C-alpha cells in the first residue's frame, strides 16, 4: 500500500498555508484529521481517487463528520502538465492542485465520498475472485496449487 499521503492547505488566494505528508495508518490518519480540523475549522477536504488508497484518509475525515470530495486523477494530470514548465507530476503538486481547484470550484469538485461496508466487502470479494480466476490456468498447468500471485 501507500506509505504516506501528500496534503496541501491553501488560503482564499490559492496560496499554500501548509503542505506536507502524513503517514498511512489508522492512528496517524485519525490524529492528522483531528489536527487539521482544529487548525482549519470549516475547511473542505478533497482527495485524488487512487485505487483504494484514498479511502483510509477519506474515512478519517468522514468519521469526524466532514464531507470529503473525490477528484478524478485526470484533473491533476492535466493541470500539472499545463501549469508546470518542467511538466512534473508528483503527489505534492497534485495535492496543491486539488486544494486550489477545490476552493475555485466552491467545494463542488469531484463527487462526494461515501462508505458502505457491505459494498466494500463485496468489492474485495470480487477482486479476490478475479485474482483467483486468473491464477487457475497456471495452477493447473504447473500442477502446484497456490504458486500464482
Amino acid at each position: 500500500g501507500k506509505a504516506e499521503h501528500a496534503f496541501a492547505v491553501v488560503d482564499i488566494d490559492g496560496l499554500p498555508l501548509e503542505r506536507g505528508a502524513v503517514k498511512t495508518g489508522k492512528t496517524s490518519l485519525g490524529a492528522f484529521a483531528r489536527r487539521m480540523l482544529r487548525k482549519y475549522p470549516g475547511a473542505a477536504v478533497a482527495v485524488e481517487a487512487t485505487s483504494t488508497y484514498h479511502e483510509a484518509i477519506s474515512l478519517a475525515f468522514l468519521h469526524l463528520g466532514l464531507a470529503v470530495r473525490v477528484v478524478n486523477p485526470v484533473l491533476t494530470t492535466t493541470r500539472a502538465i499545463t501549469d508546470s514548465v518542467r511538466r512534473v507530476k508528483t503527489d505534492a503538486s497534485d495535492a496543491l492542485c486539488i486544494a486550489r481547484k477545490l476552493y475555485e470550484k466552491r467545494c463542488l469538485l469531484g463527487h462526494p465520498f461515501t462508505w458502505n461496508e457491505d459494498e466494500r466487502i463485496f468489492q474485495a470479494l470480487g477482486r479476490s475472485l478475479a485474482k483467483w480466476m486468473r491464477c487457475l490456468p497456471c495452477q493447473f498447468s504447473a500442477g502446484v496449487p497456490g504458486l500464482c500471485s
Side-chain angles (χ1 to χ4, degrees):
K2 198 171 176 121
E4 60 184 25
H5 294 278
F7 73 90
V9 179
V10 297
D11 66 11
I12 61 171
D13 295 318
L15 299 174
L17 293 173
E18 186 173 350
R19 296 174 77 172
V22 59
K23 298 254 185 254
T24 300
K26 196 172 185 177
T27 305
S28 301
L29 294 174
F32 170 75
R34 287 187 299 279
R35 183 175 68 82
M36 287 288 111
L37 287 178
R38 276 193 307 273
K39 194 169 183 178
Y40 305 105
V45 177
V47 296
E48 184 178 44
T50 53
S51 181
T52 58
Y53 299 126
H54 69 283
E55 291 177 351
I57 195 161
S58 299
L59 277 172
F61 282 102
L62 195 66
H63 287 313
L64 295 174
L66 194 66
V68 177
R69 305 292 294 190
V70 180
V71 179
N72 187 323
V74 170
L75 170 72
T76 57
T77 301
T78 305
R79 186 70 178 251
I81 288 171
T82 58
D83 284 359
S84 174
V85 174
R86 292 190 228 157
R87 306 209 187 297
V88 174
K89 182 180 180 336
T90 65
D91 287 348
S93 66
D94 290 352
L96 185 58
C97 172
I98 290 169
R100 287 177 171 156
K101 201 69 170 168
L102 182 66
Y103 180 77
E104 182 184 309
K105 295 289 185 180
R106 299 177 190 248
C107 303
L108 296 177
L109 181 67
H111 64 274
F113 175 79
T114 58
W115 186 261
N116 179 310
E117 191 66 32
D118 292 336
E119 181 181 313
R120 295 305 195 251
I121 290 169
F122 185 71
Q123 289 171 341
L125 287 171
R127 285 190 299 272
S128 294
L129 179 59
K131 182 179 177 183
W132 185 77
M133 294 297 286
R134 285 191 307 271
C135 290
L136 279 178
C138 78
Q139 287 179 0
F140 288 121
S141 63
V144 182
L147 290 181
C148 187
S149 56

